[in-house]
PDB file of all heavy atoms in Angstrom:
ATOM      1  N   LYS A 467       9.832  12.376  -5.268  1.00 72.00           N
ATOM      2  CA  LYS A 467       8.514  12.041  -4.733  1.00 72.00           C
ATOM      3  C   LYS A 467       8.651  11.291  -3.411  1.00 72.00           C
ATOM      4  O   LYS A 467       7.951  11.569  -2.436  1.00 72.00           O
ATOM      5  CB  LYS A 467       7.742  11.196  -5.751  1.00 72.00           C
ATOM      6  CG  LYS A 467       6.386  10.699  -5.277  1.00 72.00           C
ATOM      7  CD  LYS A 467       5.682   9.946  -6.404  1.00 72.00           C
ATOM      8  CE  LYS A 467       4.334   9.389  -5.955  1.00 72.00           C
ATOM      9  NZ  LYS A 467       4.474   8.261  -5.014  1.00 72.00           N
ATOM     10  N   GLU A 468       9.576  10.326  -3.368  1.00 73.00           N
ATOM     11  CA  GLU A 468       9.749   9.518  -2.159  1.00 73.00           C
ATOM     12  C   GLU A 468      10.288  10.363  -1.002  1.00 73.00           C
ATOM     13  O   GLU A 468       9.867  10.205   0.143  1.00 73.00           O
ATOM     14  CB  GLU A 468      10.698   8.344  -2.433  1.00 73.00           C
ATOM     15  CG  GLU A 468      10.120   7.277  -3.336  1.00 73.00           C
ATOM     16  CD  GLU A 468      10.085   7.697  -4.804  1.00 73.00           C
ATOM     17  OE1 GLU A 468      10.922   8.549  -5.202  1.00 73.00           O
ATOM     18  OE2 GLU A 468       9.217   7.191  -5.551  1.00 73.00           O
ATOM     19  N   GLU A 469      11.235  11.273  -1.299  1.00 80.00           N
ATOM     20  CA  GLU A 469      11.771  12.149  -0.252  1.00 80.00           C
ATOM     21  C   GLU A 469      10.692  13.072   0.294  1.00 80.00           C
ATOM     22  O   GLU A 469      10.620  13.284   1.509  1.00 80.00           O
ATOM     23  CB  GLU A 469      12.944  12.961  -0.813  1.00 80.00           C
ATOM     24  CG  GLU A 469      14.190  12.141  -1.064  1.00 80.00           C
ATOM     25  CD  GLU A 469      15.253  12.912  -1.810  1.00 80.00           C
ATOM     26  OE1 GLU A 469      14.921  13.952  -2.425  1.00 80.00           O
ATOM     27  OE2 GLU A 469      16.426  12.486  -1.788  1.00 80.00           O
ATOM     28  N   LEU A 470       9.871  13.612  -0.592  1.00 82.00           N
ATOM     29  CA  LEU A 470       8.782  14.487  -0.150  1.00 82.00           C
ATOM     30  C   LEU A 470       7.816  13.721   0.750  1.00 82.00           C
ATOM     31  O   LEU A 470       7.396  14.224   1.800  1.00 82.00           O
ATOM     32  CB  LEU A 470       8.046  15.055  -1.359  1.00 82.00           C
ATOM     33  CG  LEU A 470       6.839  15.947  -1.045  1.00 82.00           C
ATOM     34  CD1 LEU A 470       7.254  17.169  -0.233  1.00 82.00           C
ATOM     35  CD2 LEU A 470       6.136  16.382  -2.333  1.00 82.00           C
ATOM     36  N   GLU A 471       7.462  12.504   0.357  1.00 80.00           N
ATOM     37  CA  GLU A 471       6.542  11.705   1.167  1.00 80.00           C
ATOM     38  C   GLU A 471       7.139  11.410   2.540  1.00 80.00           C
ATOM     39  O   GLU A 471       6.441  11.477   3.559  1.00 80.00           O
ATOM     40  CB  GLU A 471       6.215  10.395   0.443  1.00 80.00           C
ATOM     41  CG  GLU A 471       5.315  10.572  -0.771  1.00 80.00           C
ATOM     42  CD  GLU A 471       5.117   9.280  -1.537  1.00 80.00           C
ATOM     43  OE1 GLU A 471       5.784   8.272  -1.190  1.00 80.00           O
ATOM     44  OE2 GLU A 471       4.308   9.268  -2.482  1.00 80.00           O
ATOM     45  N   LEU A 472       8.426  11.098   2.578  1.00 85.00           N
ATOM     46  CA  LEU A 472       9.068  10.795   3.857  1.00 85.00           C
ATOM     47  C   LEU A 472       9.171  12.043   4.726  1.00 85.00           C
ATOM     48  O   LEU A 472       8.958  11.987   5.939  1.00 85.00           O
ATOM     49  CB  LEU A 472      10.453  10.194   3.607  1.00 85.00           C
ATOM     50  CG  LEU A 472      11.160   9.588   4.818  1.00 85.00           C
ATOM     51  CD1 LEU A 472      10.302   8.524   5.481  1.00 85.00           C
ATOM     52  CD2 LEU A 472      12.511   9.004   4.414  1.00 85.00           C
ATOM     53  N   PHE A 473       9.479  13.176   4.093  1.00 89.00           N
ATOM     54  CA  PHE A 473       9.558  14.431   4.845  1.00 89.00           C
ATOM     55  C   PHE A 473       8.198  14.774   5.447  1.00 89.00           C
ATOM     56  O   PHE A 473       8.100  15.145   6.632  1.00 89.00           O
ATOM     57  CB  PHE A 473      10.039  15.561   3.929  1.00 89.00           C
ATOM     58  CG  PHE A 473      10.166  16.886   4.622  1.00 89.00           C
ATOM     59  CD1 PHE A 473      11.289  17.192   5.370  1.00 89.00           C
ATOM     60  CD2 PHE A 473       9.153  17.836   4.526  1.00 89.00           C
ATOM     61  CE1 PHE A 473      11.395  18.418   6.020  1.00 89.00           C
ATOM     62  CE2 PHE A 473       9.257  19.061   5.163  1.00 89.00           C
ATOM     63  CZ  PHE A 473      10.379  19.350   5.918  1.00 89.00           C
ATOM     64  N   GLU A 474       7.142  14.653   4.651  1.00 89.00           N
ATOM     65  CA  GLU A 474       5.796  14.952   5.148  1.00 89.00           C
ATOM     66  C   GLU A 474       5.381  13.972   6.235  1.00 89.00           C
ATOM     67  O   GLU A 474       4.732  14.352   7.217  1.00 89.00           O
ATOM     68  CB  GLU A 474       4.805  14.931   3.988  1.00 89.00           C
ATOM     69  CG  GLU A 474       4.995  16.090   3.015  1.00 89.00           C
ATOM     70  CD  GLU A 474       4.078  16.003   1.803  1.00 89.00           C
ATOM     71  OE1 GLU A 474       3.543  14.904   1.544  1.00 89.00           O
ATOM     72  OE2 GLU A 474       3.916  17.039   1.118  1.00 89.00           O
ATOM     73  N   GLU A 475       5.750  12.726   6.074  1.00 89.00           N
ATOM     74  CA  GLU A 475       5.421  11.717   7.085  1.00 89.00           C
ATOM     75  C   GLU A 475       6.095  12.047   8.409  1.00 89.00           C
ATOM     76  O   GLU A 475       5.457  12.052   9.468  1.00 89.00           O
ATOM     77  CB  GLU A 475       5.874  10.345   6.592  1.00 89.00           C
ATOM     78  CG  GLU A 475       5.680   9.215   7.598  1.00 89.00           C
ATOM     79  CD  GLU A 475       6.311   7.928   7.105  1.00 89.00           C
ATOM     80  OE1 GLU A 475       5.672   7.235   6.288  1.00 89.00           O
ATOM     81  OE2 GLU A 475       7.446   7.616   7.523  1.00 89.00           O
ATOM     82  N   ASN A 476       7.398  12.332   8.380  1.00 92.00           N
ATOM     83  CA  ASN A 476       8.123  12.660   9.610  1.00 92.00           C
ATOM     84  C   ASN A 476       7.593  13.939  10.238  1.00 92.00           C
ATOM     85  O   ASN A 476       7.523  14.059  11.471  1.00 92.00           O
ATOM     86  CB  ASN A 476       9.613  12.789   9.327  1.00 92.00           C
ATOM     87  CG  ASN A 476      10.311  11.448   9.183  1.00 92.00           C
ATOM     88  OD1 ASN A 476       9.831  10.439   9.700  1.00 92.00           O
ATOM     89  ND2 ASN A 476      11.426  11.431   8.480  1.00 92.00           N
TER      90      ASN A 476
END
Side-chain angles (χ1 to χ4, degrees):
K467 176 177 178 289
E468 290 75 26
E469 289 171 342
L470 178 61
E471 288 175 353
L472 191 56
F473 181 82
E474 291 175 343
E475 176 187 279
N476 282 336

